Amino acid sequence: MSSAFSAINTVQRLPHASVSQENPSVSPLRSFLPFLGSTHKLRPKSLHKNGASIRRQSSIVAVSDVVKEKKTKSSSCLPNLLITKQEGLVLYEDMILGRAFEDMCAQMYYRGKMFGFVHLYNGQEAVSTGFIKQLKKEDCVVSTYRDHVHALSKGVPARAVMSELFGKTTGCCRGQGGSMHMFSGEHNVLGGFAFIGEGIPVATGAAFTSKYKREVLKEADCDHVTIAFFGDGTANNGQFFECLNMAALWKLPIIFVVENNLWAIGMSHLRATSDPQIYKKGPAFGMPGVHVDGMDVLKVREVAQEAVARARRGDGPTLVECETYRFRGHSLADPDELRDPAEKAHYATRDPITALKKYMIQNNLVEEVELKAIEKKIDEVVEEAVEFAEASPVPVRSQLLENVFADPKGFGIAPDGRYRCEDPKFTEGTAHV
Amino acid sequence: MWGIIRQKVGAGGISAPSMQRIRPAVSAWRSYSSSGKEMTVRDALNSALDEEMSADPKVYVMGEEVGEYQGAYKITKGLLDKFGPERVVDTPITEAGFAGIGVGSAYYGLRPVIEFMTFNFSMQAIDHIINSAAKSNYMSAGQINVPIVFRGPNGAAAGVGAQHSQCFAAWYASLPGLKVLAPYSSEDARGLLKAAIRDPDPVVFLENELLYGESFPVSAEVLDSSFCLPIGKAKIEREGKDVTITAFSKMVGYALKAAEMLAKEGISAEVINLRSIRPLDRATINASVRKTNRLVTVEEGYAQHGVGAEICTSVIEDSFGYLDAPVERISGADVPTPYAANLERMAFPQVEDIVRAAQRACFRSVPMAAAA
């Protein structure tokens, strides 16, 4: 127990130390602090086990350090690469799909095919690809309004997403949801929420279901994981903290991924947050808090693998802060005047797609022609999606009143288990349907 | 500023159709008005905030993007430069938090103007609007009053989906302790916002995103800094003698257009701009119905428990003997707002719906069957 207490003391001391060193004018591109602790240490385990868990935990956080360590320690004759060629191509293709799709959305919006609010994901592809490609089909993803690429990474076909954006009946939500409300029952994309913070309790609920299925319904092999994606602005919202508490309390299989792109519309993260290091909020609630470079898909992938494995084992939630950037404005209606062009230029040099391409070519995993072939293939997929969406019909008039209730006419279920409105005797009286 | 609006509208072509519908009403106004100035609703709100903040140092504005971003819809443009960051406060994304902070500061003597980016987001703060603000004067037996204004765009925009399009007039107006205002023109916007800020009670001020860019003529009296409109008085926008059409916010424009179309058929419609949903000006509405003997209520929100339901009941209770036709309610379709453009058009009242309802009330066409 003494080790547990010293762990607690460490947790309490470190934030103070970091604050005194912190210079608010320093850009957030600074080295992160080592991981601060989790309930792991509070459990009465043997010292040896604690030691092992500490080592494992530090490998979660110090990913880029570990990567550098691996590289320097490994012998020079055998390159210790982070990915195989196949994995690299999968990652590359997914990121190119996200980028090409969003660029096409911008074009279509300015041509009037899309309308309302459209929030694009350019620049943040590494986060979506890095995390979602570690999931199975049964795992859930919950997102905010910046959800096109999350849906695509999870497996929703590009043509379904594009039709939805055009407002056509062949869209993934029959044209009723729109850009901000991408749902897919088949691929377990649980939205798509316009209110930031709203998706976090929903994701926590999905994780609760997974645990419930395993423990109450006795589906022994149910190890489904949920990932909640949200931004830096959301990390100041009350719902976020409520869910961190409950997820850690009940050890839910969820990963909270903060896509910290430093801006909430025009509000800089540093102006809105008392302590801008979001990952530190994890240990305050008893879960590991990890900071990772969100412009590097390989680093994100490593962190994701560890976090997903942790959740699947039943060890509980993880808070991951991905430092990333959106190349476009908040939405297509945002003039984007407040962001410094120098900042945008800096992050443009850290484009995740270019970084992965460079890594794979430099390490002789692929030839440039193979990557070009992928890009061409994705261009065709996106073009086909647009053609499909254009050619699809708009919803018919009768669709307006459908889907309000799962129960067709809203009268509920009769005692015999069928819908009341299907019982011809039900409308025999004075009730009108 | 027009540039920004054009960029927003042109970028999506989203509000272009509805803009075209409203614009003819404005040009009709132009031909009637004398050579007065014109002002957009956005400028009217901005100037009202500016003047009230200059007059009373206890007034401050708080909300998301109200400062450096100049307001999510540019309503608070220029206020940060003029009054400084202590009085124009940019908040993190915590509606519950900053609405509560506003209420607390109002308890203790300040006069906050809390902006919600849309009233849909006020649902994250509704506990404070209802339980901390509206009920406090009653619970404290008059010791603590809450001179706060909650303002922001309400109702549907264009293509923004189910979570951004709800009209909350009926929800807030159902509660005693809150005053609920819904301006239409620039004159309404200026006068009502000034009245709301000066009012010692919590006021929910429901604007409309699509009206922000609309221009209306304003007289010199309206531009005066002491101009104020009374809370609880409706305005008769257009006099008539055959049917009374009540509306608020954007629907007033539609009702005026409908009145033009009805005039061509020989039906003279009286259009009432409610301005104040709570307290509702039952006297004006009833006096009008006693004159015309027919009523059509128009609103964007849902029919059940809506503003129109309340108005119809009020008229039936007070002026039943004067009614020559069943009261007609026009409201939004009973569905969450769909995204697809054609479905969205069907989900909200259009000018033709108002015309048809007025015709039904005047028995010019076949009445609808009893079953829906």
Side-chain angles (χ1 to χ4, degrees):
Chain A
M1 282 314 277
S2 60
S3 60
F5 281 128
S6 59
I8 296 172
N9 285 339
T10 316
V11 167
Q12 284 170 349
R13 257 188 252 129
L14 262 165
H16 176 71
S18 67
V19 162
S20 60
Q21 289 164 11
E22 200 170 298
N23 186 351
S25 63
V26 168
S27 83
L29 318 168
R30 42 182 294 190
S31 58
F32 47 85
L33 295 169
F35 143 75
L36 295 176
S38 85
T39 48
H40 242 350
K41 290 184 183 154
L42 297 177
R43 271 196 251 128
K45 289 222 170 121
S46 70
L47 263 165
H48 170 72
K49 264 206 171 165
N50 253 348
S53 58
I54 292 172
R55 249 185 278 123
R56 203 197 308 132
Q57 282 147 4
S58 58
S59 77
I60 297 177
V61 170
V63 165
S64 43
D65 276 359
V66 168
V67 166
K68 284 186 214 138
E69 254 182 59
K70 276 189 192 163
K71 282 207 168 133
T72 51
K73 279 185 186 164
S74 67
S75 61
S76 49
C77 52
L78 207 68
N80 192 0
L81 294 174
L82 291 166
I83 45 169
T84 63
K85 173 173 175 175
Q86 273 313 107
E87 291 169 347
L89 289 176
V90 166
L91 295 177
Y92 190 77
E93 183 169 336
D94 195 51
M95 290 205 289
I96 289 283
L97 174 61
R99 181 68 62 90
F101 190 90
E102 298 293 71
D103 284 338
M104 185 59 80
C105 283
Q107 267 193 55
M108 293 294 117
Y109 189 84
Y110 291 126
R111 280 194 219 163
K113 309 275 186 210
M114 275 180 220
F115 34 89
F117 292 141
V118 179
H119 307 84
L120 298 183
Y121 203 72
N122 297 48
Q124 302 181 194
E125 293 88 359
V127 180
S128 175
T129 301
F131 271 96
I132 299 183
K133 286 302 172 197
Q134 302 304 316
L135 297 179
K136 303 185 295 202
K137 192 167 188 193
E138 299 80 21
D139 296 323
C140 300
V141 165
V142 180
S143 179
T144 58
Y145 43 71
R146 209 177 295 281
D147 57 349
H148 305 168
V149 179
H150 295 138
L152 291 172
S153 291
K154 194 65 174 52
V156 182
R159 38 162 51 185
V161 181
M162 192 60 87
S163 304
E164 181 63 28
L165 294 169
F166 278 39
K168 301 294 176 87
T169 198
T170 47
C172 56
C173 299
R174 303 175 78 199
Q176 290 168 205
S179 162
M180 299 184 282
H181 306 292
M182 294 285 165
F183 289 86
S184 167
E186 186 194 340
H187 298 279
N188 289 306
V189 176
L190 304 182
F193 290 96
F195 283 38
I196 55 102
E198 192 175 14
I200 303 177
V202 171
T204 311
F208 179 85
T209 308
S210 168
K211 186 161 188 252
Y212 190 91
K213 279 186 182 167
R214 190 171 56 238
E215 293 178 359
V216 176
L217 302 177
K218 307 292 186 214
E219 291 173 27
D221 52 356
C222 178
D223 60 354
H224 304 159
V225 164
T226 307
I227 302 189
F229 290 97
F230 49 95
D232 43 287
T234 312
N236 292 324
N237 197 285
Q239 295 178 85
F240 171 57
F241 300 111
E242 292 181 20
C243 290
L244 283 183
N245 179 46
M246 287 190 283
L249 187 65
W250 297 328
K251 286 192 156 319
L252 300 179
I254 183 172
I255 306 167
F256 297 100
V257 178
V258 186
E259 294 167 323
N260 184 353
N261 58 19
L262 304 175
W263 291 90
I265 305 187
M267 190 69 166
S268 148
H269 176 57
L270 303 171
R271 282 184 70 217
T273 318
S274 58
D275 185 347
Q277 292 173 302
I278 302 174
Y279 70 93
K280 280 158 65 172
K281 298 177 182 172
F285 288 93
M287 69 178 83
V290 185
H291 179 276
V292 69
D293 177 3
M295 305 303 267
D296 182 338
V297 68
L298 301 174
K299 291 182 189 153
V300 173
R301 185 171 160 273
E302 288 237 4
V303 170
Q305 278 173 334
E306 179 64 48
V308 170
R310 211 182 110 79
R312 284 208 211 284
R313 278 195 304 266
D315 286 344
T318 315
L319 173 66
V320 183
E321 179 186 353
C322 301
E323 180 201 327
T324 180
Y325 202 75
R326 51 170 164 84
F327 294 156
R328 291 184 182 262
H330 164 73
S331 70
L332 288 173
D334 175 23
D336 197 14
E337 291 155 348
L338 286 175
R339 299 198 298 175
D340 186 9
E343 183 188 72
K344 293 188 216 181
H346 168 85
Y347 278 98
T349 64
R350 292 170 60 183
D351 188 332
I353 293 178
T354 339
L356 180 65
K357 188 170 177 173
K358 198 166 136 194
Y359 180 87
M360 290 206 290
I361 290 180
Q362 273 179 357
N363 290 292
N364 294 317
L365 280 170
V366 288
E367 302 290 319
E368 181 131 7
V369 280
E370 289 175 274
L371 298 181
K372 282 263 183 286
I374 290 183
E375 284 164 33
K376 187 159 176 304
K377 175 177 139 200
I378 293 297
D379 277 339
E380 281 166 22
V381 166
V382 173
E383 291 261 351
E384 194 269 324
V386 171
E387 279 164 20
F388 175 76
E390 284 266 14
S392 298
V394 287
V396 294
R397 196 187 165 85
S398 58
Q399 194 183 315
L400 178 68
L401 299 177
E402 288 174 10
N403 304 130
V404 179
F405 288 111
D407 153 21
K409 303 265 188 181
F411 284 110
I413 314 269
D416 67 355
R418 287 167 42 230
Y419 289 119
R420 276 213 173 90
C421 61
E422 288 167 7
D423 174 6
K425 285 192 177 293
F426 182 64
T427 51
E428 251 177 23
T430 54
H432 284 284
V433 168
Chain B
M1 193 185 315
W2 271 110
I4 295 172
I5 301 166
R6 230 181 273 125
Q7 181 187 0
K8 269 178 92 166
V9 172
I14 43 173
S15 39
S18 39
M19 289 295 237
Q20 279 159 14
R21 261 199 286 274
I22 295 177
R23 227 177 269 132
V26 174
S27 56
W29 265 106
R30 236 182 244 159
S31 59
Y32 290 144
S33 76
S34 54
S35 58
K37 253 197 75 179
E38 285 220 339
M39 192 184 226
T40 59
V41 173
R42 181 180 276 115
D43 286 338
L45 293 166
N46 186 284
S47 61
L49 280 170
D50 196 329
E51 287 162 19
E52 291 303 306
M53 287 178 79
S54 306
D56 184 351
K58 297 206 291 293
V59 178
Y60 72 94
V61 176
M62 183 183 254
E64 291 159 9
E65 310 296 351
V66 293
E68 287 191 7
Y69 199 75
Q70 309 297 323
Y73 295 99
K74 306 297 183 249
I75 306 297
T76 51
K77 186 173 172 129
L79 295 183
L80 176 68
D81 288 333
K82 191 164 175 192
F83 297 103
E86 291 86 18
R87 294 185 68 194
V88 181
V89 184
D90 272 330
T91 61
I93 313 179
T94 40
E95 273 79 9
F98 66 72
I101 287 181
V103 173
S105 65
Y107 273 26
Y108 209 39
L110 295 183
R111 306 190 83 96
V113 177
I114 303 293
E115 173 171 315
F116 292 117
M117 204 179 278
T118 76
F119 259 93
N120 299 277
F121 303 161
S122 74
M123 289 203 284
Q124 295 212 338
I126 201 169
D127 174 42
H128 280 296
I129 302 176
I130 306 293
N131 285 319
S132 310
K135 299 182 183 173
S136 294
N137 199 51
Y138 188 85
M139 292 193 293
S140 70
Q143 294 175 80
I144 300 203
N145 71 311
V146 191
I148 192 171
V149 177
F150 298 102
R151 51 160 291 271
N154 175 55
V160 293
Q163 292 183 340
H164 274 78
S165 307
Q166 194 171 334
C167 174
F168 288 89
W171 282 31
Y172 288 119
S174 71
L175 189 76
L178 274 184
K179 295 180 182 168
V180 180
L181 303 175
Y184 163 63
S185 62
S186 308
E187 178 188 330
D188 292 351
R190 253 183 79 81
L192 292 177
L193 186 55
K194 279 164 163 300
I197 293 175
R198 296 178 198 177
D199 197 275
D201 292 311
V203 179
V204 168
F205 195 83
L206 304 171
E207 303 158 3
N208 187 291
E209 189 198 330
L210 295 177
L211 285 179
Y212 283 151
E214 286 292 314
S215 263
F216 295 89
V218 282
S219 63
E221 186 203 350
V222 171
L223 293 171
D224 184 62
S225 68
S226 60
F227 174 67
C228 215
L229 283 175
I231 292 182
K233 290 275 322 144
K235 177 182 182 192
I236 301 193
E237 293 279 349
R238 182 192 169 113
E239 298 242 349
K241 54 181 179 51
D242 290 330
V243 59
T244 299
I245 306 180
T246 67
F248 61 94
S249 190
K250 192 172 80 183
M251 291 291 133
V252 176
Y254 285 32
L256 288 169
K257 270 219 74 188
E260 291 276 317
M261 290 168 68
L262 289 165
K264 293 196 188 89
E265 298 173 27
I267 300 179
S268 155
E270 176 149 300
V271 175
I272 301 185
N273 173 3
L274 290 174
R275 282 182 171 173
S276 171
I277 316 292
R278 183 183 265 270
L280 195 58
D281 191 355
R282 293 168 215 273
T284 304
I285 299 169
N286 275 286
S288 169
V289 172
R290 289 178 185 212
K291 185 173 74 167
T292 64
N293 308 122
R294 294 174 186 88
L295 175 68
V296 173
T297 70
V298 186
E299 63 185 307
E300 254 188 341
Y302 301 117
Q304 189 166 340
H305 311 298
V307 176
E310 176 60 30
I311 295 176
C312 289
T313 308
S314 168
V315 162
I316 290 170
E317 285 172 353
D318 294 337
S319 316
F320 183 68
Y322 292 84
L323 282 172
D324 285 349
V327 291
E328 297 270 355
R329 266 190 303 181
I330 309 220
S331 64
D334 213 25
V335 295
T337 309
Y339 167 74
N342 66 326
L343 291 182
E344 193 189 18
R345 253 193 314 276
M346 287 188 249
F348 290 110
Q350 307 298 336
V351 178
E352 297 75 31
D353 298 318
I354 307 176
V355 169
R356 268 202 304 273
Q359 286 170 338
R360 275 199 304 271
C362 296
F363 295 120
R364 293 301 178 93
S365 66
V366 180
M368 260 170 51

